[in-house]
Amino acid sequence: MNKALSRNEASRAGRVQIVRSPGGVLAWLVEDYAVPLVALDFSFRGGAAQDPAGKPGVATMLAGLLDEGAGPYDANAFHEALDEEAVHLGFGADRDHIAGHFQTLTRNADRAFELLRLALNEAHLEQGAIDRVRAQLTAGLKREAKDPDSVAGRLFRETAYAGHPYGAPTRGAIESLPSITREDLVAARVAQFARDGLVVAAVGAIDARELATRLDAVFGALPAKGMLKDVAPATMQGVGRRIVSEIDVPQSTIRFGRPALEKDDPDYMASVVVMHILGGGAFTARLFREVREKRGLAYSAYAGLQNYDRAAMLAGSTSTKNERAAESLAVIEEQIRDLSAHGPTQEELDKAKKFLIGSYDLRFDTSTKIAANLAHLQREGRAPSYLDERNRMIANVTMEDAKRAAQRVLGDGALLVTVAGRPADMA
Amino acid sequence: MAEHNPAPQIVHSRLDNGMEIVVIPDHRAPVVTHMVWYRNGSADDPPLKSGIAHFLEHLMFKGTAKHPKGQFQQLIADLGGQENAFTSYDYTSYFQRLPREHLATCMEYEADRMRNLVLTDEVVAPERDVVLEERRMRTDSDPQAELSEAVQAALFQHHPYGEPVIGWAHEIETLNRADALAYYQRFYTPENAILIVAGDVTPQEVETLARETYGAIPARGAAPVRTRPQEPPQRAHRLVSLADEKVEQPAFERCYLAPSAVTAPAGEAEALEVMTHVLGGGQTSRLYRTLVHERQVAVAAGAYYMTPSVDMTRLWVYGVPAPSVSLEEFGAAVDAVIADFLKAPVSENELNRSRNRLIADSIYARDNQTSLAHWYGAALACGETVADVAGWAERIEKVTAEDVLRVARRWLDKRSAVTGYLMPQEQAA
């Protein structure tokens, strides 16, 4: 019985089953029996944007503590159980969610799902583990304190979203991590681990009936509703500013960006196409061609869209030796202005659309990638039919759409630019 | 390890001109991964030309007479494909992932650049600048990377694994078109290449297409011979330290010389894999449990064994000390864990946990055609066989606690190791 993932089925959406457990937990499922595995990808609404003011890092720390002792197991015993059953289990927080990624061999599924249930419902959050995870996060932050890419990124985020939760560091700050208490972590768990903000995607050797039973076991006891505070829409600030952080390195790392379109904007898909032309792909985008290929200014030069629940921006990066950093930035700004003023060429538009359409398949060739994509679409509020509609939406982007989207996203070309290094001739 | 679902049927063959072919069928999605591996890496760089293997990898994107610069890349993009290339110590590899129906076109282009590369000074010069920027980005702006480079240079007293894959900046600056073409002529031959195709294909169609494309390339008569200076017996533990104002978090690494799956007697590399996992794989390992949980002198600790490798390889032990623990104290704590580890065989529980994890990883790998292609490609490029890779899990299952103890005693020897300290400026000696 290998009914899923056959290339003869024209519809990708047609392979997605929507499973509702007796307890009311919803999941998208793609059944496939080629490899004896089950992959689960899920998330709760919440994340770092819910961190208490002045205490960034709570959501990240909570995610890091879920496998540090739960139910009858202390931290060691829990990790031994994961090893014995060869379970892959990881949690993480981003700005808007706490997410989990789980994979098990089918022969170990019973115990693996039980370990997942314990992590989500009965994690101890005991003080020794809290101190351990705090020390690990602190070491990570120290490690990147003077790393050029981290410094430029931090400066960019703090400037762009000053005063908004998105301006705070997701993984916390060295100064504020010590103030996070067990009560903060318990409060975050109570507020966020709820069924109304939950999305689940399952892929692999499991049928709808078994999945429904497992969903109730793992998620069924969570409260129906979370208690999230409202996050205000974030307006990007600092556009037009150029900020340099001096670090003694031979190369300047440059971050740049400006506001972009929300995902529900009618021009969003056209803006995806335009951004691919500007800074996407590997070898064909304008930034790659002009910065790397023609001038040898950098190993990497890219720009893309970053959408959070309450913000949308264009963000890009490059790294050039200090003497030529200003030249790199000038080339990037020139390309952005040109694309805004004139739009792409017909050839660029046609090729970008072909790439975006053709490459969609590559996102669906492993269980974990499929599960991640299905969870992502649910977070965006899409129906499974989007899996088939998405390529049509790209095909329908006209030159007029692309020019309008380019104008709307790239505007006058003004950017927030942050630089880490010792760039010459850059005020 | 009885599974209901059999492992993929991997087919291995060879063209008349000597090029090897490996096909890894995976029919779940209508995509293929196409890779060509060449058996040459940075350890084959000629004297004074460090970085030439990696530089040539960049230059392989500069086009041929039939398909001028950018055409192959544009084609892959038009098809919705992804592509890239990478260079390591022992191999250089080029790959594309794309919808299955375009495999033939892709093979035609890749075969074309195996023998028809055109290089001009106009494309060579800016690409050399790109590589120098890559080095500045990956190494010269990152003290941890600079330390690792110094540790490798110290570990290998004679073998070229001590040279960084990307090369030394002062030698990269001198690489030119003639160097690149000489290197290309020597190594980019069918006898030196391995084709791996994974995904929604049959072995028959791949072989037919391979004969039409790669098969048209004339044989050179023999694969290039790579002769490398080998390590003499090592007798001195070396300590390498780097202090930098950019370092705020001290870190510890130790790199031991160790045999690879290619150089070791049968079963020894597998014992090393299990040994390294018990010692430092994950949070139940000896190092993590003792240093992080019990003694609380570390925030992180672990070990890692690098294989495959053509010649003697490396085994790392690494850690991040807790605040107020010096690197010397940390090193002593690591030594104490290892001394204890060498006293008696590991427990049955430890052995089973590690073997379970390692064997399960080979099942998880089957979910990802690109990972499988990479696994086979790297192994074959280093001199292993398809049967070696396919039988890996079975051999791991046979590793005993006595095997683990024997290889630990033999190879966790500080006299053939380098210890590296990464330190903040104020701690500099």
Side-chain angles (χ1 to χ4, degrees):
Chain A
M1 178 168 119
N2 193 344
K3 71 179 183 185
L5 295 167
S6 154
R7 69 169 175 272
N8 299 322
E9 281 184 64
S11 162
R12 183 172 280 117
R15 297 178 346 217
V16 176
Q17 304 169 58
I18 296 190
V19 177
R20 184 183 290 277
S21 72
V25 180
L26 205 70
W28 290 12
L29 166 65
V30 171
E31 260 181 272
D32 181 66
Y33 295 87
V35 185
L37 301 173
V38 179
L40 211 64
D41 206 287
F42 58 90
S43 65
F44 298 103
R45 230 180 2 254
Q50 298 290 321
D51 288 347
K55 290 188 178 187
V58 168
T60 296
M61 202 185 272
L62 175 60
L65 281 160
L66 299 176
D67 62 356
E68 290 288 323
Y73 303 108
D74 68 11
N76 272 328
F78 195 86
H79 282 287
E80 283 184 6
L82 290 174
D83 275 350
E84 279 157 16
E85 308 301 325
V87 182
H88 287 190
L89 178 61
F91 298 96
D94 66 19
R95 285 183 166 81
D96 301 309
H97 313 92
I98 292 180
H101 316 281
F102 164 91
Q103 236 187 329
T104 179
L105 309 182
T106 47
R107 64 162 184 259
N108 299 339
D110 285 343
R111 190 133 179 257
F113 274 100
E114 170 61 6
L115 291 167
L116 174 61
R117 181 189 77 79
L118 290 170
L120 287 176
N121 293 273
E122 297 180 28
H124 299 164
L125 312 182
E126 58 93 14
Q127 195 58 47
I130 292 172
D131 293 340
R132 202 158 57 237
V133 170
R134 188 189 342 257
Q136 286 163 349
L137 287 172
T138 304
L141 294 171
K142 282 187 178 173
R143 161 91 174 83
E144 58 189 43
K146 289 179 184 163
D147 169 66
D149 193 48
S150 306
V151 169
R154 192 159 60 232
L155 201 53
F156 188 91
R157 186 196 64 236
E158 287 170 355
T159 309
Y161 297 116
H164 188 277
Y166 289 163
T170 300
R171 285 169 298 140
I174 292 169
E175 317 78 56
S176 62
L177 284 175
S179 69
I180 294 174
T181 63
R182 183 172 193 279
E183 289 65 41
D184 295 325
L185 297 162
V186 170
R189 177 166 63 181
V190 169
Q192 299 182 38
F193 286 19
R195 283 182 284 139
D196 61 340
L198 173 68
V199 303
V200 184
V203 178
I206 187 167
D207 63 21
R209 195 185 165 86
E210 183 190 342
L211 179 62
T213 309
R214 305 248 186 236
L215 289 173
D216 275 344
V218 173
F219 303 104
L222 295 172
K225 285 193 184 310
M227 295 176 289
L228 302 181
K229 58 186 181 195
D230 286 338
V231 177
T235 310
M236 190 175 160
Q237 303 165 52
V239 176
R241 288 182 67 190
R242 195 179 280 196
I243 310 171
V244 177
S245 178
E246 286 264 337
I247 306 181
D248 184 16
V249 285
Q251 195 179 52
S252 295
T253 296
I254 300 172
R255 292 278 185 118
F256 57 90
R258 54 179 285 120
L261 305 180
E262 300 287 347
K263 286 203 165 171
D264 55 9
D265 190 291
D267 282 333
Y268 175 75
M269 205 49 109
S271 78
V272 168
V273 176
V274 168
M275 286 307 296
H276 180 77
I277 293 165
L278 176 67
F283 294 97
T284 51
R286 285 192 180 195
L287 295 188
F288 186 91
R289 196 180 66 218
E290 297 295 327
V291 175
R292 172 170 161 159
E293 192 83 1
K294 279 195 189 159
R295 296 177 178 83
L297 284 166
Y299 176 69
S300 144
Y302 71 91
L305 297 171
Q306 279 185 17
N307 284 70
Y308 308 123
D309 280 1
R310 308 297 279 162
M313 70 169 167
L314 173 169
S317 174
T318 194
S319 302
T320 301
K321 67 176 172 182
N322 289 326
E323 298 81 354
R324 295 184 77 186
E327 184 184 348
S328 270
L329 184 57
V331 170
I332 290 167
E333 289 177 327
E334 168 60 25
Q335 287 304 317
I336 288 176
R337 280 195 300 269
D338 180 81
L339 195 54
S340 178
H342 306 111
T345 65
Q346 189 64 48
E347 190 186 6
E348 283 178 320
L349 179 64
D350 294 344
K351 285 177 180 298
K353 286 163 63 176
K354 272 173 95 171
F355 172 84
L356 290 167
I357 290 168
S359 64
Y360 201 46
D361 272 340
L362 298 181
R363 297 191 197 178
F364 298 91
D365 66 342
T366 77
S367 309
T368 44
K369 280 161 74 176
I370 296 168
N373 276 303
L374 297 187
H376 181 72
L377 292 182
Q378 291 177 76
R379 282 192 288 273
E380 290 186 349
R382 315 277 189 194
S385 59
Y386 179 84
L387 290 161
D388 296 333
E389 289 159 7
R390 183 261 188 195
N391 277 354
R392 279 200 291 278
M393 291 162 74
I394 289 175
N396 289 339
V397 172
T398 64
M399 178 55 90
E400 196 184 324
D401 297 335
K403 283 186 168 166
R404 189 178 59 249
Q407 226 291 313
R408 287 187 63 199
V409 174
L410 305 173
D412 63 357
L415 301 169
L416 166 61
V417 177
T418 61
V419 186
R422 290 199 167 155
D425 310 318
M426 205 186 277
Chain B
M1 291 303 297
E3 285 297 336
H4 298 298
N5 317 61
Q9 289 302 302
I10 291 162
V11 176
H12 181 226
S13 59
R14 196 182 284 273
L15 293 175
D16 291 340
N17 60 14
M19 187 166 173
E20 278 186 87
I21 304 173
V22 177
V23 184
I24 306 170
D26 170 12
H27 301 292
R28 295 176 299 158
V31 296
V32 290
T33 300
H34 170 260
M35 304 186 104
V36 172
W37 295 69
Y38 294 95
R39 292 183 180 87
N40 50 275
S42 61
D44 307 300
D45 289 350
L48 310 183
K49 307 287 179 194
S50 70
I52 187 73
H54 172 256
F55 186 39
L56 186 71
E57 176 227 299
H58 278 237
L59 295 175
M60 283 289 280
F61 291 81
K62 299 304 179 190
T64 65
K66 191 172 170 194
H67 300 300
K69 178 161 93 85
Q71 206 184 90
F72 190 11
Q73 287 65 52
Q74 192 61 62
L75 172 88
I76 296 294
D78 284 354
L79 303 176
Q82 298 167 346
E83 64 166 335
N84 216 326
F86 49 89
T87 307
S88 186
Y89 296 96
D90 293 317
Y91 47 75
T92 311
S93 173
Y94 301 82
F95 71 92
Q96 299 83 25
R97 286 169 26 79
L98 68 174
R100 67 176 311 285
E101 59 270 26
H102 303 301
L103 178 62
T105 315
C106 185
M107 288 168 83
E108 194 265 305
Y109 275 74
E110 191 65 80
D112 179 46
R113 72 173 169 178
M114 188 188 291
R115 64 167 174 174
N116 297 319
L117 182 66
V118 173
L119 295 179
T120 62
D121 289 334
E122 288 69 44
V123 300
V124 168
E127 200 59 37
R128 190 170 49 221
D129 287 341
V130 167
V131 172
L132 287 163
E133 291 296 346
E134 183 180 2
R135 194 188 147 85
R136 283 184 199 108
M137 184 178 87
R138 293 194 198 279
T139 309
D140 304 335
S141 299
D142 180 359
Q144 176 78 63
E146 290 177 316
L147 175 67
S148 295
E149 193 171 80
V151 166
Q152 294 305 301
L155 180 68
F156 290 100
Q157 300 176 157
H158 197 39
H159 191 283
Y161 285 162
E163 314 260 321
V165 171
I166 198 167
W168 302 110
H170 69 283
E171 291 189 353
I172 299 171
E173 284 165 2
T174 70
L175 298 176
N176 60 34
R177 177 177 169 273
D179 296 328
L181 286 173
Y183 184 88
Y184 174 70
Q185 292 301 334
R186 180 174 167 208
F187 284 115
Y188 284 67
T189 75
E191 291 96 334
N192 201 39
I194 305 155
L195 168 69
I196 313 259
V197 180
D200 194 10
V201 287
T202 64
Q204 294 72 22
E205 62 183 303
V206 172
E207 276 181 45
T208 305
L209 292 173
R211 266 198 303 277
E212 290 166 3
T213 52
Y214 299 104
I217 300 172
R220 297 281 188 89
V225 178
R226 38 178 165 182
T227 46
R228 301 159 168 182
Q230 297 297 308
E231 280 300 300
Q234 296 200 347
R235 303 196 173 94
H237 173 241
R238 284 134 280 166
L239 175 66
V240 173
S241 68
L242 185 144
D244 189 292
E245 64 166 14
K246 293 188 290 296
V247 175
E248 299 207 351
Q249 175 60 58
F252 172 97
E253 69 176 283
R254 179 175 298 150
C255 192
Y256 294 92
L257 202 61
S260 74
V262 179
T263 67
E268 189 159 309
E270 292 79 5
L272 278 161
E273 295 240 29
V274 176
M275 185 275 281
T276 309
H277 197 271
V278 176
L279 177 66
Q283 301 200 17
T284 62
S285 69
R286 289 282 184 98
L287 283 166
Y288 192 96
R289 182 170 291 197
T290 312
L291 300 178
V292 178
H293 277 277
E294 290 166 16
R295 297 196 50 199
Q296 303 187 358
V297 294
V299 296
Y304 171 73
Y305 172 53
M306 178 179 167
T307 192
S309 178
V310 169
D311 295 309
M312 286 288 281
T313 184
R314 312 69 145 169
L315 189 165
W316 278 267
V317 169
Y318 59 87
V320 177
S324 82
V325 175
S326 74
L327 285 160
E328 290 77 9
E329 290 164 331
F330 188 82
V334 168
D335 286 339
V337 172
I338 291 173
D340 185 63
F341 189 71
L342 300 184
K343 274 184 194 153
V346 298
S347 74
E348 204 57 30
N349 279 340
E350 286 176 305
L351 183 69
N352 285 335
R353 275 203 307 272
S354 287
R355 290 190 310 201
N356 275 350
R357 269 287 183 204
L358 291 168
I359 291 165
D361 282 346
S362 69
I363 301 173
Y364 284 119
R366 285 163 47 193
D367 188 39
N368 188 329
Q369 57 171 251
T370 306
S371 306
L372 274 185
H374 196 115
W375 191 10
Y376 277 89
L380 266 64
C382 290
E384 292 186 61
T385 65
V386 168
D388 289 338
V389 179
W392 180 84
E394 262 174 56
R395 298 196 305 279
I396 290 287
E397 186 127 51
K398 291 194 182 113
V399 172
T400 66
E402 288 70 33
D403 296 333
V404 167
L405 185 63
R406 192 181 65 250
V407 297
R409 285 178 172 165
R410 172 69 185 85
W411 295 110
L412 293 176
D413 181 347
K414 272 171 83 170
R415 290 172 302 178
S416 50
V418 177
T419 300
Y421 289 169
L422 183 69
M423 301 186 294
Q425 191 71 59
E426 64 268 25
Q427 285 183 16

